[in-house]
DNA sequence: AATGAATGAGAGTTCATTCAT
DNA sequence: AATGAATGAACTCTCATTCAT
């Protein structure tokens, strides 16, 4: 087998893994963990249930794949550029946009968040992501104050926490779909002194 | 059977219903909807599984009971008195206290919130509660502004939404247990101009 | 419910347990442990597979029931009366008869014996039975020598072991069905000086 | 391809077959037929499961290989030399030694013996081996009597059967590991008038 | 000669629900 | 009002076997 076809082989296999993860993701978004059935996942991809177990030995392993996928999808929103206040504004709006465009991601994150209370491996990854988010946010706020883009009196740590709290609440159904999410964010922007109007 | 014993009979029956609901509530808090088993609920109360079905014909009916119970428990926190800004402060703190003292309620509310995306009957009750909360909050803020306890420029509707968003985020694991919940709330109080310090 | 019907209830339940054990016994006799399927056992009794699990939570528990049953069936052969040499002769012949009349018991004992090498709980019960058998046999031989029914020079312990070895070998297919089993036993009787001819 | 390399190819292929048979043998010894998994066999040899099926089209075929292997291993013990009584003694002791040194062989023979009740092809080979063994033993005894090494009154056929029965019982767990196996054999030697103390 | 990927059939086990008592 | 017994339908996971490469 040539190197090229070996690479092809690898990617074909990896593709199947991702198809399965994507299908599982969709199932969770639609029916919750409560309604996640390995057979439905396999059916959605069009493979036998045994094939699913060939890639993911247990349901738990499949969920692990979904966790990774969701986290990666979410983290990709955190890449910032521009002045601190612009970055902050962009971040708030891109998270909001992400939740509006892909409500499934919000649902799955919510399901994972709840599950993190019962599943150590999920909890660990969740905490890591949250800490990274928190310190990125804090650094952004601090730089904003230093560069004069944000109000002086602002306590970067507490505000970072509050901002994350508000963004997190966007994943919860009552706020996700309604225009209230936008409303809450705009008020936050006002208090932060960014975003105009 | 005398009227008295009939009433007794009824209340004894009602007590059993509530025991079952409480046990189901605990199960959901500990294992999520994913891990809710009617048999475990019956065992926890010490009755036969068939007895549970005598009181709640289906699992859904039992979950309905839990929903009612959780909502009632939560709404009881919303009864305020004192000046608007004091009321607001009290409300923020009592919700925070409730989440700290009874984390199970937060978990179950979270589980129900997620389920509301899939279950019309839950969604309906959730929306009602949210709307009642929102308009109570809005009224409070408006009165606060009118009476001079709160800043003039405050847009009562947007702020009400934001406050509810922050309070809601307290039910989510990453914020529930850590001191960050308090941190976020204190920052919110500062922005609202209540709570001193 | 009256005491009588309670007793009836108990025995009806016990009866079902025994039906299931008997069916499992038959399956093992016919197909070995290798071919033991809980579904077939349930079908043989005419109940749903879930009913089987109502009585025996796991397959292992069912096998435990079969073990008990087989052992009890076997031990019932050990009840002796008459003079020692008569008892000994009776014992040899009744074990042989048991194996000839109920070859299934021999097969199942063989399957259990092999499994005892891998399963501590089976091993334990097997060893107990063997020890009880060994000491009963030894006592019988010793009394036989003392009462003059058996040769003086006989080493009761070694002979007891040998007798048990020969009887045990009767459960193994090559000796079980053929007339060779009888032949071996008759030779043993001759050496023991019992059984005439 | 030259003749030499063709032969090499064949023998390399034969070697792989034997590796697989040996691995299957070990699996049966450790887990019984009940726990024999073709995948484990392939893994033990370090080849893909599909490779196993290249050499043995079905699991039955693999078991056939194990049967042959076990029988060959066992028959090799039956080659005797010396005077009849010495040969007999050697035979008893070498069988005992074989069982003590390689208990796996005993286990696998036991598993095969049980399976012979259900599998015609195993039964056939088992009967052949047993018959060969029986007539070799009988001839040995007859010659022993003729040459004055063994007691006159001895019925060679019955005694041969008995000896084989005792040796067979050595493969069964309760007698295999304990010192009782030796005890039984020594008593047998005493009755045969060979081996002395 | 060897492999990765895939599968059909079936394994033991679970669970909400029912029903006679 | 309460129970023991029973069940249908499903669930996750397993295994011998196949096939394209």
């Amino acid at each position: 087998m040539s190197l090229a076809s070996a690479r092809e082989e690898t990617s074909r296999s990896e593709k199947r893994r991702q198809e399965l993860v994507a299908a599982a993701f969709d199932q969770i978004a639609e029916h919750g963990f409560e309604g996640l059935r390995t057979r439905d996942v396999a059916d959605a991809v069009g493979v036998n249930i045994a094939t699913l177990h060939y890639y993911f030995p247990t349901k738990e392993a499949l969920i692990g794949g979904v966790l990774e996928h969701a986290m990666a999808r979410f983290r990709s929103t955190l890449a910032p550029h521009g002045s601190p206040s612009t970055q902050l504004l962009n971040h708030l709006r891109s998270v909001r946009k992400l939740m509006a465009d892909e409500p499934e991601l919000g649902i799955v994150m919510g399901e994972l968040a709840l599950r993190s209370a019962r599943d150590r491996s999920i909890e660990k990854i969740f905490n890591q992501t949250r800490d990274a988010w928190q310190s990125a946010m804090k650094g952004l706020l601090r730089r904003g104050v230093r560069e004069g883009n944000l109000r002086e009196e602002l306590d970067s740590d507490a505000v970072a926490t509050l901002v994350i709290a508000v963004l997190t609440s966007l994943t919860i159904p009552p706020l996700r779909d309604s225009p209230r999410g936008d409303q809450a964010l705009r008020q936050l922007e006002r208090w932060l002194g960014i975003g105009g109007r």
Side-chain angles (χ1 to χ4, degrees), chain A:
Chain A
M1 195 191 290
S2 72
L3 247 179
S5 72
R7 209 176 295 126
E8 223 176 72
E9 204 62 32
T10 309
S11 75
R12 200 179 300 164
S13 173
E14 188 51 37
K15 192 186 155 209
R16 182 118 293 179
R17 288 181 72 87
Q18 284 171 8
E19 283 175 333
L20 287 164
V21 164
F25 181 95
D26 291 346
Q27 287 288 323
I28 295 173
E30 194 165 353
H31 308 291
F33 273 112
E34 208 187 335
L36 178 61
R37 301 288 173 262
T38 52
R39 225 162 208 105
D40 294 343
V41 172
D43 287 352
V45 174
V47 299
N48 188 280
I49 175 67
T51 300
L52 183 150
H53 277 92
Y54 178 76
Y55 288 93
F56 298 93
T58 65
K59 191 184 182 181
E60 223 48 42
L62 178 62
I63 290 175
V66 172
L67 174 63
E68 248 178 89
H69 173 75
M71 286 306 185
R73 189 80 201 74
F74 187 74
R75 268 192 292 263
S76 69
T77 327
L78 291 156
H81 35 42
S83 76
S85 69
T86 312
Q87 276 184 41
L88 192 54
L89 189 60
N90 283 340
H91 180 61
L92 296 187
R93 297 197 168 165
S94 67
V95 170
R96 176 62 188 156
K97 189 167 185 320
L98 186 64
M99 290 302 128
D101 290 354
E102 295 183 49
E104 311 84 25
L105 184 58
I107 303 182
V108 174
M109 292 296 284
E111 293 278 349
L112 286 167
L114 280 178
R115 217 168 191 254
S116 75
R118 279 169 257 131
D119 182 325
R120 290 306 130 207
S121 70
I122 294 185
E123 187 190 24
K124 203 180 142 195
I125 291 181
F126 244 84
N127 285 346
Q128 283 172 0
T129 302
R130 184 202 53 192
D131 291 345
W133 195 9
Q134 171 94 12
S135 67
M137 179 69 68
K138 187 177 166 180
L140 200 58
L141 291 168
R142 197 175 282 167
R143 258 179 297 130
V145 171
R146 205 184 309 133
E147 298 180 14
N149 292 314
L150 295 172
R151 297 197 195 134
E152 286 237 4
E153 78 279 9
L154 180 152
D155 172 350
S156 58
D157 208 41
V159 172
T161 305
L162 184 60
V163 170
I164 288 177
V166 174
L167 289 176
T168 302
S169 74
L170 294 179
T171 65
I172 298 178
L175 288 160
R176 192 173 46 227
D177 326 294
S178 67
R180 299 183 201 241
D182 291 315
Q183 205 179 21
L185 270 192
R186 241 173 294 127
Q187 177 60 41
L188 186 63
E189 293 169 9
R190 222 171 292 145
W191 269 341
L192 285 165
I194 61 176
R197 173 132 54 123

